[in-house]
Amino acid sequence: YNEYKSYLRYMDSLPDELLECVLSHLSVIHELQEASKVCCRWRRLCKEVYSCKINSFIKQSRLGKISWRNCTPKSIFKRDRISEPSPRYGCSTVLHGNAIYVYGGALKNYFTDMFIIDVLSFTWKKVNVYKHFGENPLPLCWSASTKHQDNMIVCGGLFQHPSGLSVREMMYNTIHVYNISRNCWYKIGTMARERALHKITSLDDKLLLFGRLNDPNDDGDIVELFEICYNEEIDKMVKVPVLQEELNITSRYKHLQVKIDSHHVLIYGGMKRTLNEHFVLTDAYLLTFSSDYSTLSVSPVSVHGIQRELYPMSVSEGVLVGGHVMFLEAPICIKQPEDRPPSFYIIDANRRPTTSSMYKKDYFHTFVLDISKVLSEGYVEWIPPDRNPPPYAPKATLAHSVIKVGDSLVVYGGRQCSFGIPVSEVKGSNKIYKVTVLRPK
């Protein structure tokens, strides 16, 4: 005990600069959180260290100085493969503590199982959900998910591969909640429309839904805002509608939906399905809610710095880091067709992305969108991307999941980046990659 007290006196005698240097060697995921509980001084310094780590992450990411590491567990024995998920894409993922919960997804079939990725040891664990209580969702792919308190919320999704033009009959409108502590599912309500490839955003105690895989003749979409409350009489969570309004903007799917603060949400890009082709959208809008969430206003946002010769294949898996959104995607070329609005683009299949090497065009690249000026000056700006793929970057996938864990990113799953391949021949992935920034020299 006396040695412990002398150690504390020694640590307290260190100036802030030295103690901050010591704390900077701790991991953001767990160690820095625990160190912040020691005292008020350590809490203040831990916040400064965390801020510096995030700023360094943004700066190094903008320069393309990030590193990929394959953290997929190796299953040597057959018994270990039981807890290993099969390759899949379009999963629902949320981070809870030091675990990533992965639900559903698809490859040749649609899945209804759940797994946990331990982000400290990077090991798998299959979750045996309690099935005798509540109501389990059906096999789903491309549903929207988020974490709300101790719950994983899963909304909508596809239950079979789209064939033909009409997709409305292939989508769900149900909202399910997986209670992590009880280890069971509940069905808490339905959405106004069937949705898939949409987004859900948490605004304090409320949830915002927008976007969906549209039929070619659909135009416009409904934004839904609702609360999830606990009903003591029936001992379960229930959905309480707050606002439902049709937005006068182009309907879209696979878009970026980012919370700026508790009353502002940014919507950027996505895709639009028509009778003949799929369009890549590059417009942006700011949704502003009143203080009591009773009214909603929509204002357009200017977009600067679009690189037509090096654009991310998808913007739906962007991760907010500080005032920037990071995308880990394969690069594509886009071009503007005739007789279309300025924000409508199509993929230019006749051109190759202007990467440093033609052999690296199918590898993961880093894209950064600066959204720090969206409230003050009304615009977002693409940072010119590095034309070199990051060190050890693997071949890019489609419909993978990207989760921010402390000062690093975790990438899971996906399917091969090839169009026109029959569903039965598509190859999927169950690999886990950890993406970190390279330390400045």
Side-chain angles (χ1 to χ4, degrees):
Y1 177 74
N2 292 331
E3 292 181 358
Y4 176 69
K5 288 183 68 176
S6 62
Y7 169 76
L8 287 180
R9 284 196 298 269
Y10 171 73
M11 293 297 291
D12 287 339
S13 64
L14 292 177
D16 286 355
E17 293 78 8
L18 285 179
L19 184 55
E20 187 174 338
C21 180
V22 173
L23 294 174
S24 66
H25 291 276
L26 300 180
S27 168
V28 172
I29 299 175
H30 178 69
E31 296 171 345
L32 206 58
Q33 297 176 357
E34 294 299 318
S36 64
K37 301 175 183 178
V38 173
C39 61
C40 294
R41 183 192 177 204
W42 281 43
R43 180 179 179 83
R44 172 176 55 82
L45 293 177
C46 285
K47 284 186 177 181
E48 294 178 3
V49 170
Y50 177 80
S51 178
C52 290
K53 282 179 174 285
I54 294 300
N55 291 334
S56 174
F57 190 87
I58 296 169
K59 182 179 179 180
Q60 297 295 92
S61 301
R62 289 173 60 178
L63 298 174
K65 296 180 179 179
I66 62 174
S67 177
W68 290 70
R69 182 164 65 94
N70 190 343
C71 297
T72 309
K74 294 183 179 180
S75 300
I76 300 176
F77 302 102
K78 185 175 180 180
R79 64 175 180 269
D80 297 331
R81 300 192 187 106
I82 298 176
S83 60
E84 178 182 312
S86 57
R88 62 190 65 196
Y89 64 90
C91 309
S92 300
T93 55
V94 298
L95 176 67
H96 179 71
N98 296 322
I100 298 175
Y101 285 76
V102 180
Y103 171 75
L107 190 59
K108 297 177 182 178
N109 300 312
Y110 281 61
F111 302 106
T112 186
D113 47 7
M114 178 174 285
F115 294 85
I116 293 177
I117 305 173
D118 189 315
V119 297
L120 297 179
S121 60
F122 284 99
T123 54
W124 285 111
K125 179 183 178 183
K126 186 172 183 179
V127 180
N128 296 315
V129 180
Y130 186 58
K131 297 182 179 180
H132 301 287
F133 186 71
E135 181 179 349
N136 290 15
L138 296 174
L140 291 174
C141 173
W142 278 325
S143 55
S145 60
T146 188
K147 179 175 172 290
H148 180 71
Q149 296 176 0
D150 196 25
N151 303 289
M152 176 182 182
I153 301 171
V154 177
C155 305
L158 285 172
F159 60 89
Q160 71 180 55
H161 294 287
S163 58
L165 296 178
S166 180
V167 296
R168 190 172 300 172
E169 294 79 13
M170 305 174 190
M171 298 187 294
Y172 283 122
N173 68 339
T174 54
I175 303 175
H176 283 82
V177 169
Y178 171 70
N179 188 277
I180 296 174
S181 58
R182 292 189 176 186
N183 188 30
C184 60
W185 287 97
Y186 302 93
K187 178 182 176 182
I188 64 169
T190 59
M191 300 177 287
R193 290 183 176 180
E194 298 83 3
R195 297 182 187 267
L197 292 168
H198 53 299
K199 286 293 180 180
I200 183 170
T201 304
S202 178
L203 300 176
D204 294 338
D205 58 340
K206 298 174 178 58
L207 297 170
L208 175 70
L209 276 169
F210 179 70
R212 67 185 185 125
L213 180 61
N214 63 296
D215 283 335
N217 297 322
D218 287 352
D219 198 11
D221 196 3
I222 293 177
V223 61
E224 297 182 56
L225 186 71
F226 59 91
E227 289 182 332
I228 293 182
C229 304
Y230 178 74
N231 190 323
E232 295 183 355
E233 295 182 359
I234 57 178
D235 190 27
K236 64 183 291 188
M237 310 294 285
V238 294
K239 173 193 172 188
V240 180
V242 177
L243 177 68
Q244 183 174 306
E245 186 173 327
E246 186 166 356
L247 296 186
N248 190 23
I249 64 175
T250 304
S251 60
R252 63 196 65 209
Y253 62 94
K254 294 187 73 173
H255 59 285
L256 174 69
Q257 189 167 301
V258 179
K259 172 186 174 182
I260 306 298
D261 56 36
S262 59
H263 293 275
H264 295 89
V265 175
L266 174 69
I267 292 176
Y268 173 81
M271 300 193 75
K272 168 72 176 176
R273 186 169 180 253
T274 63
L275 286 171
N276 300 320
E277 53 192 339
H278 294 258
F279 289 97
V280 177
L281 303 179
T282 59
D283 53 351
Y285 297 92
L286 184 66
L287 308 186
T288 304
F289 293 91
S290 60
S291 57
D292 59 351
Y293 295 94
S294 60
T295 58
L296 168 64
S297 61
V298 182
S299 56
V301 175
S302 302
V303 182
H304 300 165
I306 295 176
Q307 305 283 328
R308 299 187 183 187
E309 71 280 1
L310 202 63
Y311 192 79
M313 182 172 286
S314 173
V315 296
S316 62
E317 291 298 325
V319 177
L320 184 63
V321 182
H324 300 71
V325 181
M326 276 191 60
F327 305 90
L328 302 173
E329 298 286 343
I332 59 172
C333 290
I334 57 175
K335 64 179 181 180
Q336 198 164 18
E338 298 179 357
D339 304 326
R340 287 291 177 176
S343 60
F344 277 62
Y345 289 83
I346 59 174
I347 297 177
D348 191 351
N350 298 323
R351 292 179 59 197
R352 297 189 178 199
T354 54
T355 57
S356 59
S357 171
M358 61 176 290
Y359 302 106
K360 295 294 185 179
K361 65 183 180 65
D362 294 330
Y363 285 69
F364 275 109
H365 281 62
T366 307
F367 301 88
V368 179
L369 180 65
D370 186 352
I371 64 171
S372 59
K373 305 264 178 54
V374 66
L375 290 181
S376 59
E377 302 183 28
Y379 74 88
V380 296
E381 182 177 11
W382 283 100
I383 305 299
D386 189 354
R387 302 189 185 280
N388 297 306
Y392 309 108
K395 281 196 171 183
T397 56
L398 288 171
H400 51 273
S401 300
V402 184
I403 307 99
K404 181 176 177 292
V405 182
D407 57 348
S408 61
L409 302 178
V410 175
V411 181
Y412 167 71
R415 52 167 287 184
Q416 64 187 123
C417 287
S418 299
F419 298 98
I421 297 179
V423 173
S424 59
E425 300 178 12
V426 169
K427 295 181 180 179
S429 170
N430 66 345
K431 293 184 178 179
I432 307 170
Y433 293 95
K434 183 179 181 181
V435 183
T436 54
V437 298
L438 297 175
R439 291 187 177 272
K441 294 181 181 180

